[in-house]
């Protein structure tokens, strides 16, 4: 969350103030307005869910509905309640990656890296500086960072007795030379900031001017707060001895574990020149203390401490704000993070509201849930809470500003200290919908008496099925018949069941087969997916290997869910896949396309590098890349997003545009990835001048060659089209979660075109109770006339289907008719009203009937499903199909 300083008259002030994520405004502090928050205070907070995280910590979910500015508002707030008197739970701060400052990381990753069961984001920080907290931090009893010289900034701490403290802290320290001369120490592991009116420093002064600061090995980078305002001198100290002095200059290293690096400028640099010499001993003396001289702490014994912002609650009541809140959007409803403790000092409350609260509203919420004293933590885009679900070993994001996990500098985490207990409960994971012959593996997640997760190989399990429609071998259940059963596992003193349905053909409402591509090409590989919806409402994917597949128009084979197309039959324009499962059928029709390579990158096509602001890189053609043919060239696009802002993009631009002939159905390109997780896209301009962005991948997580494709039929192009750019993009949302440097390669850019044949339109005219008819004007005679049966017109199915250009198959042993035309597949059974049309179970008004050895089917149902136009002449009782 960002704030901007009001007075910007001094050189450099504007830049630093704009960068600060902390509040730096000097002026009268604003008291919480009871009138503003009155409506919220009158509305009760409702506890809607709670779940143990570990012994001594519970995650609670609250819903709160009230009226804001005459409009109804409903917010959800997650709270982790920690019992500070429980010996089996610990509260401590986490920082960055690997426990180092300057290496920001989102809260979930911090929690998982350190084995926490829950965590929230912590202190404010300068988003453009190195990535360190504005306030103090103590982790595991070790001082990580000292407080700044700022007024009204509160911190949360725990003493060695686990007593919670919320107070304002300051810092006193000095460096003593061998000759006894000393110089004030400005702080430990601090970035630059601007002083406020604290009665000691000049208001508005830059912290590094004339400053002497200490940096330990916890500061995880070689650059130590060099913002260009001051010229640094650095002193390397190991085991209390000055090892080296760079005056001016910096050490290109992280401080050693057995020492530290001092950074000096201005008057501090003069002190270094006069009193410090290589080889001499040096002494440091520093401590944290309350800003109130009347309050005494043994600050050196704090177990943990984390910085924050304004006080929110004191004495169980909304408190006057200790710092200006305009810079943290105090009166706007934004995501918030806060911490507080109960009056009896037994409970700490970690609070994350991701649906938006003003600070006065947050105060009212905290009071209602029992906070006696509490303070504001960094909110807005930094708001995050991660918590470990029961039975899991990793935390999940449970609260965040619009779901975005911003890398932050630190957080407050909850840890389990409990011993191993017996299994308390188990959670079953596995499929609830199966198919005949399918094997399903069921796994268990369990937690013990202390609500801590139990490893899978330590969970005893005995499985049973309530119905004989399958059998267990270990934890693998093989379905043998359709039906419903209850699978039960017994594990220690815990028993849990799961309802499972084994779906047969008669249970299916619809079966849809889809492919990873809309078109079909020889020597290509496709991924097939079979989606089932049961009549019970259950939805599942049917394993492709559980179906029998028939290929029409091409030759292919299936391995798992992958279809390998070996060859295309001669003179066909579309391929069909008919899939059957336990008497239920569906069909996928795919147009056969020809592929034309538009660019191999071996020629002289001019391609240049362009980018968004701040991005650097290049494009070039390379020979001999791994995975390419000998002598073949590929286009390499290198990029560096580190100095870009917002959404960063690197383009490989076709200087003259790559003009594409005709109307392609799709295009494909081979891409050698870089595991960057960035987006890969293309840009196309049509003949009307409209630019379209074509997505190829939104997660480039591979490092070898991969063929990417895009369906062009969904774009409303004015043909012909021109491809203008291929590019890599890193969207602003989640920018730091992707690699900022890398290179990808492109090869064999091709476009696919649908084979076309002239459309054939047949017109069939019949008359009820008459055997004469015409097909495209040619007279013919039937041996069974159309009839009216129970208000439905029945027609001889074979003649009508073949006259309309379709194919019909009779399956004698099943008394079944199969009709195929275009992309339609119908299956009907004699004397049954149930039929299957394009993968859907349908019920007709009347069944197909056998008349004079001819199968008669209801015209209405097949015409609707086949897409035929039917015209009825009441006067002549004539029927026209077209």
């Amino acid at each position: 969350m960002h704030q901007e300083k009001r007075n910007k008259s001094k050189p450099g002030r504007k830049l630093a103030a704009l960068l600060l994520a902390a509040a730096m405004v000097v002026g009268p502090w604003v008291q919480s307005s009871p009138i503003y928050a009155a409506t919220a205070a009158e509305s009760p907070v409702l506890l809607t869910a709670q779940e143990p995280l570990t012994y001594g910590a519970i995650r609670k979910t609250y819903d709160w509905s009230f009226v804001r500015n005459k409009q109804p508002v409903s917010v959800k707030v997650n709270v982790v309640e920690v019992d500070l008197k429980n010996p089996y739970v610990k509260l401590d701060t986490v920082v960055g990656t690997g426990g180092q400052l300057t290496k920001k990381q989102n809260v979930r990753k911090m929690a998982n890296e350190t084995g926490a069961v829950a965590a929230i984001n912590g202190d404010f920080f300068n988003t453009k500086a190195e990535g360190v907290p504005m306030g103090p931090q103590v982790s595991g009893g070790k001082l990580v960072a000292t407080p700044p010289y700022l007024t009204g900034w509160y911190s949360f701490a725990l003493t060695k007795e686990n007593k919670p403290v919320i107070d304002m802290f300051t810092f006193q320290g000095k460096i003593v030379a061998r000759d006894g001369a000393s110089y004030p120490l400005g702080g430990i592991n601090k970035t630059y900031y601007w002083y406020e009116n604290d009665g000691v420093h000049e208001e508005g002064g830059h912290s590094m001017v004339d400053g002497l600061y200490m940096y330990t090995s916890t500061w995880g980078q070689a650059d130590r707060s060099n913002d260009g305002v001051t010229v640094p001198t650095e002193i390397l100290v190991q085991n209390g001895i000055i090892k080296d002095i760079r005056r001016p200059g910096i050490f290109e290293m992280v401080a050693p574990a057995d020492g530290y690096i001092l950074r000096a400028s201005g008057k501090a640099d003069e002190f270094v020149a006069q009193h410090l010499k290589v080889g001499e001993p040096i002494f440091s003396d520093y401590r944290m203390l309350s800003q109130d001289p009347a309050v005494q702490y043994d600050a050196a014994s704090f177990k943990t401490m984390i910085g924050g912002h304004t006080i929110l609650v004191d004495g169980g009541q909304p408190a006057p704000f200790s710092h200006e809140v305009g810079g943290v959007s105090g009166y706007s409803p934004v995501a918030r993070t806060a911490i507080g403790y109960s009056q009896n000092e037994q409970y700490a409350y970690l609070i994350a509201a991701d649906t938006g609260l003003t600070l006065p509203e947050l105060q009212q919420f905290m009071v209602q849930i029992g906070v006696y004293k509490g303070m504001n933590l960094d909110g807005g885009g930094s708001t995050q809470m991660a918590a470990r679900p029961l039975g899991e070993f990793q935390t999940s994001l449970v609260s965040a500003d619009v779901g975005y996990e911003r890398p932050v500098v630190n957080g407050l985490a909850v840890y389990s200290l409990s011993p191993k207990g017996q299994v308390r409960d188990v959670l079953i994971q596995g499929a609830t919908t199966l198919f005949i012959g399918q094997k399903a593996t069921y796994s268990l997640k369990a937690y013990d008496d202390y609500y801590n997760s139990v490893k899978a190989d330590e969970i005893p399990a005995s499985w049973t099925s309530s119905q004989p429609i399958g059998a267990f071998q270990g934890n693998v259940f093989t379905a043998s018949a359709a039906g419903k059963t209850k699978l039960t596992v017994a594990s220690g003193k815990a028993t849990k069941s799961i309802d499972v349905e084994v779906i047969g053909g008669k249970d299916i409402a619809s079966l849809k087969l889809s492919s990873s591509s809309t078109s079909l090409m020889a020597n290509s590989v496709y991924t097939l997916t079979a989606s089932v919806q049961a009549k019970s409402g259950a939805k599942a994917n049917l394993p492709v290997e559980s179906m029998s597949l028939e290929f029409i128009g091409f030759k292919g084979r299936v391995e798992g869910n992958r279809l390998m197309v070996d060859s295309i039959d001669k003179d066909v324009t579309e391929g069909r896949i008919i899939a059957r499962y336990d008497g239920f059928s569906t069909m996928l029709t795919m147009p056969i396309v020809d592929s034309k390579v538009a660019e191999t990158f071996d020629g002289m096509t001019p391609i240049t590098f362009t980018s968004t602001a701040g991005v650097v890189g290049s494009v070039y053609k390379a020979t001999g890349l791994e995975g390419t043919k000998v002598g073949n060239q590929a286009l390499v696009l290198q990029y560096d997003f580190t100095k870009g802002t917002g959404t960063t993009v690197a383009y490989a631009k076709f200087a003259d545009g790559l003009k594409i002939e005709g109307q392609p159905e799709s295009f494909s390109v081979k891409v050698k990835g870089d595991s960057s997780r960035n987006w890969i896209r293309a840009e196309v301009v049509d003949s009307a001048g409209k630019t379209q962005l074509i997505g190829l991948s939104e997660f480039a997580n591979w490092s070898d060659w991969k063929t990417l494709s895009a369906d062009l039929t969904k774009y409303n192009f004015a043909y012909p089209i021109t491809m203008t750019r291929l590019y890599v993009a890193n969207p602003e949302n989640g920018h730091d979660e992707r690699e900022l440097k890398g290179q990808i390669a492109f090869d064999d850019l091709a476009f696919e075109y649908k084979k076309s044949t002239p459309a054939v339109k047949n017109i069939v005219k019949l008359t009820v109770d008459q055997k004469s008819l015409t097909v495209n004007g040619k007279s013919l005679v039937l041996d069974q006339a159309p009839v009216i049966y129970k208000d439905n017109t029945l027609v001889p199915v074979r003649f009508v289907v073949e006259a309309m250009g379709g194919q019909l198959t009779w399956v004698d042993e099943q008394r079944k008719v199969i009709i195929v035309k275009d992309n339609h597949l119908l299956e009907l059974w004699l004397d049954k009203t149930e039929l299957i049309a394009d993968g859907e179970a349908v019920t007709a008004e009347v069944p197909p009937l056998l008349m004079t050895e001819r199968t008669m089917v209801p015209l209405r149902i097949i015409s609707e499903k086949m897409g035929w136009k039917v015209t009825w002449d009441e006067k002549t009782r004539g029927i026209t199909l077209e």
Side-chain angles (χ1 to χ4, degrees), residues 67-317:
V67 175
R68 177 194 295 142
N69 298 328
K70 299 182 180 180
Q71 296 295 323
V73 174
S74 181
V75 299
K76 184 179 77 172
V77 185
N78 283 289
V79 176
V80 174
E81 181 183 283
V82 181
D83 186 351
L84 298 176
K85 295 184 180 180
N86 189 311
Y88 293 141
V89 68
K90 181 180 77 169
L91 195 60
D92 201 0
T93 51
V94 285
V95 59
T97 302
Q100 286 192 308
L101 296 168
T102 74
K103 297 182 178 180
K104 295 182 292 184
Q105 190 170 205
N106 67 49
V107 168
R108 178 177 53 83
K109 289 183 178 179
M110 286 188 200
N112 293 337
E113 182 180 285
T114 59
V117 301
I120 58 171
N121 63 291
D123 202 353
F124 289 76
F125 62 98
N126 182 333
T127 59
K128 297 299 182 181
E130 299 90 345
V132 296
M134 287 298 302
Q137 182 175 330
V138 175
S139 297
K142 178 184 176 182
L143 178 64
V144 175
T146 54
Y149 293 110
L150 298 172
T151 55
W153 288 67
Y154 275 78
S155 298
F156 171 87
L158 290 177
T159 68
K160 61 183 179 181
E161 295 83 15
N162 240 28
K163 173 184 171 67
V165 173
I166 291 180
D167 204 347
M168 291 184 289
F169 291 89
T170 189
F171 171 77
Q172 286 184 356
K174 62 182 178 180
I175 292 295
V176 183
R178 181 179 183 177
D179 62 7
S182 65
Y183 195 89
L185 189 61
I188 300 173
N189 292 330
K190 304 304 294 182
T191 190
Y192 60 89
Y193 60 94
W194 299 95
Y195 293 125
E196 295 183 1
N197 186 12
D198 61 356
V200 177
H201 303 90
E202 178 189 358
E203 189 275 321
H206 191 281
S207 62
M208 293 296 159
V209 173
D210 298 330
L212 182 65
Y213 286 81
M214 177 187 292
Y215 296 88
T216 69
S217 59
T218 305
W219 184 279
Q221 68 181 45
D223 188 288
R224 283 163 283 273
S225 198
N226 295 315
D227 69 333
V229 174
T230 59
V231 177
T233 285
E234 291 195 340
I235 304 95
L236 174 62
V237 178
Q238 281 185 275
N239 296 315
I241 302 297
I242 299 174
K243 294 294 184 181
D244 198 0
I245 298 176
R246 298 283 172 86
R247 185 174 184 269
I250 64 172
F251 295 102
E252 296 292 340
M253 59 180 285
V254 174
D258 59 352
Y260 53 86
I261 292 175
L262 294 173
R263 183 195 189 280
S265 64
K267 294 178 181 178
D269 176 51
E270 295 174 6
F271 170 81
V272 172
Q274 296 172 11
H275 301 284
L276 301 185
K277 293 182 176 60
V278 174
E280 292 186 348
I282 189 172
F283 307 94
S284 60
D285 180 22
Y286 52 84
R287 60 185 179 131
M288 288 193 300
L289 61 158
S290 173
Q291 289 188 20
D292 184 352
V295 179
Q296 297 296 319
Y297 296 113
D298 181 10
S301 69
F302 280 132
K303 296 167 63 174
T304 191
M305 178 181 288
I306 196 163
H309 187 240
T310 180
I311 189 76
L312 293 176
V313 176
D314 198 1
Q317 298 296 322

Side-chain angles (χ1 to χ4, degrees), residues 576-880:
R576 295 189 179 100
I577 305 172
I578 297 178
R580 292 187 172 89
Y581 166 75
D582 194 31
F584 202 95
S585 62
T586 191
M587 184 174 73
L588 172 64
T589 302
M590 302 172 67
I592 294 172
V593 298
D594 290 325
S595 180
K596 295 182 180 180
V597 176
E599 180 59 60
T600 63
F601 303 106
D602 293 326
M604 300 300 292
T605 303
I607 301 174
T608 59
F609 176 85
T610 61
S611 68
T612 53
V615 175
V616 296
S618 64
V619 292
Y620 61 91
K621 295 178 181 179
T623 303
L625 288 181
E626 183 180 356
T628 60
K629 297 178 182 178
V630 176
N632 185 55
Q633 283 191 322
L635 180 72
V636 177
L637 171 58
Q638 289 184 326
Y639 58 89
D640 183 346
F641 294 149
T642 53
K643 295 184 179 180
T645 58
T647 295
T648 49
V649 187
Y651 300 98
K653 180 183 178 183
F654 295 96
D656 301 322
L658 187 63
K659 299 192 170 37
I660 310 303
E661 63 181 44
Q663 298 186 20
E665 296 276 304
S666 61
F667 85 91
S668 60
V669 62
K670 295 178 181 178
V671 177
K672 183 174 176 59
D674 57 1
S675 300
S676 64
R677 303 180 298 282
N678 288 314
W679 289 20
I680 300 177
R681 309 186 98 186
E683 181 184 85
V684 171
V685 177
D686 67 11
S687 60
K690 183 178 180 180
T691 299
Q692 299 267 29
L693 304 181
I694 313 297
L696 290 166
S697 173
E698 293 186 1
F699 195 72
N701 63 340
W702 66 93
S703 59
D704 53 355
W705 285 96
K706 183 176 181 178
T707 298
L708 303 182
S709 60
D711 179 12
L712 298 179
T713 60
K714 62 183 179 181
Y715 298 93
N716 188 23
F717 288 131
Y719 291 96
I721 60 176
T722 299
M723 180 166 287
T724 51
R725 298 190 285 197
L726 294 168
Y727 64 94
V728 180
N730 187 341
E732 181 176 11
N733 191 359
H735 195 270
D736 293 339
E737 298 297 307
R738 306 178 188 92
E739 297 298 327
L740 301 181
K741 293 182 180 180
Q743 70 172 37
I744 62 171
F746 298 97
D747 200 5
D748 293 343
L749 176 62
F751 288 81
E752 291 78 46
Y753 297 83
K754 180 180 178 181
K755 287 186 175 181
S756 60
T757 56
V760 177
K761 183 177 181 181
N762 292 340
I763 299 177
V764 178
K765 293 186 178 182
L766 311 96
T767 304
V768 172
D769 295 331
Q770 292 186 19
K771 294 183 179 181
S772 61
L773 76 159
T774 63
V775 178
N776 295 331
K778 182 180 179 180
S779 296
L780 298 171
V781 177
L782 295 169
D783 51 13
Q784 170 61 54
V787 299
I788 302 294
Y789 175 76
K790 293 185 178 180
D791 296 325
N792 279 263
T793 302
L794 302 185
V795 297
V797 64
R798 179 177 294 278
F799 183 86
V800 170
V801 168
E802 292 179 349
M804 292 296 291
Q807 296 85 44
L808 182 140
T809 303
W810 168 257
V811 183
D812 191 59
E813 64 272 18
Q814 299 181 42
R815 291 165 55 86
K816 179 174 72 171
V817 172
I818 303 173
I819 303 171
V820 177
K821 186 179 188 305
D822 300 328
N823 59 340
H824 299 293
L825 171 66
L826 272 68
E827 295 193 353
L828 309 91
W829 288 261
L830 279 179
D831 302 319
K832 292 183 179 180
T833 55
E834 295 79 16
L835 60 100
I836 301 171
D838 296 334
E840 292 188 359
V842 179
T843 301
E845 294 181 13
V846 295
L849 299 174
L850 196 63
M851 296 180 179
T852 61
E853 300 304 317
R854 293 295 180 184
T855 302
M856 306 290 286
V857 298
L859 177 61
R860 178 184 301 171
I861 193 74
I862 66 167
S863 62
E864 288 177 352
K865 299 304 178 182
M866 302 300 287
W868 297 339
K869 179 182 177 182
V870 180
T871 304
W872 168 257
D873 188 328
E874 180 68 31
K875 184 176 181 180
T876 64
R877 303 180 79 193
I879 303 164
T880 302

Side-chain angles (χ1 to χ4, degrees), residues 529-601:
T529 303
S531 304
V532 169
Q533 178 165 341
K535 292 177 180 177
S536 65
K539 295 181 179 180
N541 285 339
L542 172 62
V544 175
E545 59 265 28
S546 296
M547 300 185 294
S548 63
L549 301 179
E550 177 186 356
F551 304 137
I552 302 174
F554 69 98
K555 292 178 176 60
R557 52 205 159 85
V558 170
E559 295 179 4
N561 65 341
R562 288 160 57 86
L563 168 66
M564 278 72 75
V565 178
D566 297 322
S567 62
I568 303 293
D569 295 351
K570 187 178 180 181
D571 298 327
V572 296
T573 60
E574 58 189 12
R576 295 189 179 100
I577 305 172
I578 297 178
R580 292 187 172 89
Y581 166 75
D582 194 31
F584 202 95
S585 62
T586 191
M587 184 174 73
L588 172 64
T589 302
M590 302 172 67
I592 294 172
V593 298
D594 290 325
S595 180
K596 295 182 180 180
V597 176
E599 180 59 60
T600 63
F601 303 106

